[in-house]
Amino acid sequence: MEGSRPVVAEVQALVTPTRYPLPRRMATGLDLNRTLVLVAALEKHLKLRLETRDVFVSLAGGLKPRDPALDLAVCMAIVSSAREAPLPADCVFVGEVGLLGQVGRVPFLPARLKEAARLGFKRAVVPARALKDAGARSAASIALEGAESVAVCAARVAGAARRAEPVDVPA
């Protein structure tokens, strides 16, 4: 969110083997410390082995928001690069990721979903608890998928990518 206006941002990640004893972690347009916490959560809860890999994360377009709603998108971009599996192009990820890997609610979810739908996105992965809000469900013409944790989200997206077709997962 920029003030009261929702802004859709593209998160890019590159995970590559390192040649150095300590892997590099870089974040452009994002808070580096927050990115380090997200990388640690992915390593712990997805058993994602990143200790021998450099991780570079960037927001396309030079944006520098400090919005925790980007956490899930950052995590999924890192997982996508680490596993060399593309994310669905018609899907957005909105949610704050905690230390325990849980996906938490974010403010202004209906406005965010409406903007994503306006830009042509067909699906959105949001916090599972947000699906219970009738307002979030009716706010946009976009299929909602709830994720309780980053591990559930990664597994669901990997399953959808294998089927190579849009999936509407009921809550």
Side-chain angles (χ1 to χ4, degrees):
M1 297 292 290
E2 290 294 321
S4 62
R5 172 108 173 123
V7 176
V8 176
E10 179 183 350
V11 178
Q12 301 173 342
L14 175 64
V15 177
T16 182
T18 188
R19 296 182 179 161
Y20 303 106
L22 293 174
R24 282 186 78 184
R25 307 289 191 243
M26 266 182 85
T28 304
L30 296 162
D31 179 42
L32 178 61
N33 290 328
R34 183 69 187 154
T35 304
L36 293 173
V37 168
L38 295 174
V39 168
L42 290 174
E43 288 180 315
K44 171 80 174 174
H45 301 291
L46 267 69
K47 309 289 188 249
L48 196 60
R49 307 223 16 167
L50 299 173
E51 69 271 7
T52 60
R53 296 170 161 193
D54 293 330
V55 177
F56 303 95
V57 182
S58 176
L59 281 182
L63 292 173
K64 294 188 178 188
R66 301 184 63 87
D67 192 354
L70 289 169
D71 288 358
L72 187 58
V74 169
C75 288
M76 295 312 300
I78 292 170
V79 169
S80 170
S81 181
R83 293 182 177 169
E84 296 185 17
L87 295 173
D90 67 342
C91 189
V92 294
F93 301 91
V94 183
E96 182 175 1
V97 176
L99 292 175
L100 301 176
Q102 79 279 12
V103 178
R105 291 183 189 206
V106 295
F108 309 110
L109 184 59
R112 294 172 196 267
L113 295 174
K114 187 174 181 180
E115 181 68 10
R118 188 183 72 75
L119 292 173
F121 290 95
K122 304 290 184 221
R123 300 184 312 158
V125 178
V126 299
R129 287 178 278 172
L131 286 178
K132 296 175 184 165
D133 298 338
R137 221 180 253 280
S138 64
S141 58
I142 191 167
L144 299 181
E145 300 177 22
E148 304 81 27
S149 69
V150 72
V152 168
C153 183
R156 190 172 290 157
V157 169
R162 271 188 236 115
R163 286 188 293 276
E165 63 187 34
V167 176
D168 187 15
V169 178

